């Protein structure tokens, strides 16, 4: 394996672990006031990792089959914690494939964030078993086929929520803040 792919696997693993830590902390409900900005940062960072994977030539594992990494990570508690946290904000509408149709579907932020977590954890299982190429293949394949789309949708929803929270302010409050900023 080339030094570049080894470095990419290390960077992706770091970003995967960071994402898993952040989303787990948010799902615990311990700091709901920071949930949206923390998730916005975590999804942005892991999206960058995915973009790096998508930008390279396809990673091809040595074997023609995926080695069994062991039991799948149970993301249901994570999904449920996020669904509880985002009650009233969890569902959103999106275009299924904006290149080929205008079909609109309903998505779920908690499902998207959990799907990303599951895919990243699966790749980490391969990496921790010493199957670096398999981990990279999995992360790349699953980014292109599923979690990249989920991350993109989640990022848009998180940004939209943050935009509403920050910009949908009372006009008088905004005017007072502008006046105070211009007249110290």
């Amino acid at each position: 394996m080339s030094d570049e792919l080894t470095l990419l696997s290390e960077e992706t693993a770091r970003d995967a672990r960071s994402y898993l830590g952040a989303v787990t902390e948010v799902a615990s409900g311990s700091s709901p006031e920071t949930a949206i900005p923390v998730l916005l940062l975590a999804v942005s960072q892991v999206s960058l990792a995915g973009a790096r994977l998508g930008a390279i030539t396809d990673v091809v594992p040595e074997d023609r089959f995926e080695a069994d990494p062991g039991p799948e990570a149970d993301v249901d508690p994570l999904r449920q914690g996020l669904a509880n946290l985002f009650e009233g904000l969890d569902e959103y509408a999106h275009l299924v494939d904006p290149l080929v149709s205008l079909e609109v579907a309903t998505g779920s932020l908690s499902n998207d964030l959990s799907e990303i977590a599951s895919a990243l954890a699966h790749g980490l299982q391969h990496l921790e078993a010493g199957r670096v190429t398999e981990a990279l293949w999995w992360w790349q394949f699953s980014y292109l086929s599923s979690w990249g789309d989920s991350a993109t949708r989640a990022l848009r929803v998180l940004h939209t929520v943050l935009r509403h929270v920050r910009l949908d302010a009372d006009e008088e409050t905004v005017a007072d803040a502008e006046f105070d900023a211009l007249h110290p």
Side-chain angles (χ1 to χ4, degrees), residues 74-132:
D74 182 12
V75 296
D76 284 336
L78 182 74
R79 181 180 291 110
Q80 188 58 51
L82 292 167
N84 290 341
L85 184 68
F86 296 133
E87 187 174 344
L89 297 173
D90 197 30
E91 290 190 358
Y92 62 87
H94 69 94
L95 292 177
V96 174
D97 185 336
L99 290 180
V100 298
S101 80
L102 296 176
E103 178 186 354
V104 176
T106 301
S108 163
L109 187 56
S110 60
N111 285 341
D112 290 341
L113 297 170
S114 298
E115 179 186 350
I116 298 164
S118 179
L120 295 173
H122 186 93
L124 284 172
Q125 285 178 296
H126 283 301
L127 188 70
E128 290 163 359
R131 296 185 299 272
V132 177

Side-chain angles (χ1 to χ4, degrees), residues 23-86:
V23 76
T24 300
E25 179 65 26
V26 167
S28 76
S30 64
S31 300
E33 65 282 353
T34 63
I36 300 300
V38 166
L39 288 173
L40 185 66
L41 288 169
V43 174
S44 295
Q45 186 64 40
V46 82
S47 293
L48 174 59
R52 286 191 306 257
L53 291 163
I56 65 169
T57 304
D58 288 348
V59 176
V60 180
E62 294 89 20
D63 297 324
R64 292 182 60 156
F65 60 92
E66 181 184 3
D68 183 6
E72 291 292 317
D74 182 12
V75 296
D76 284 336
L78 182 74
R79 181 180 291 110
Q80 188 58 51
L82 292 167
N84 290 341
L85 184 68
F86 296 133

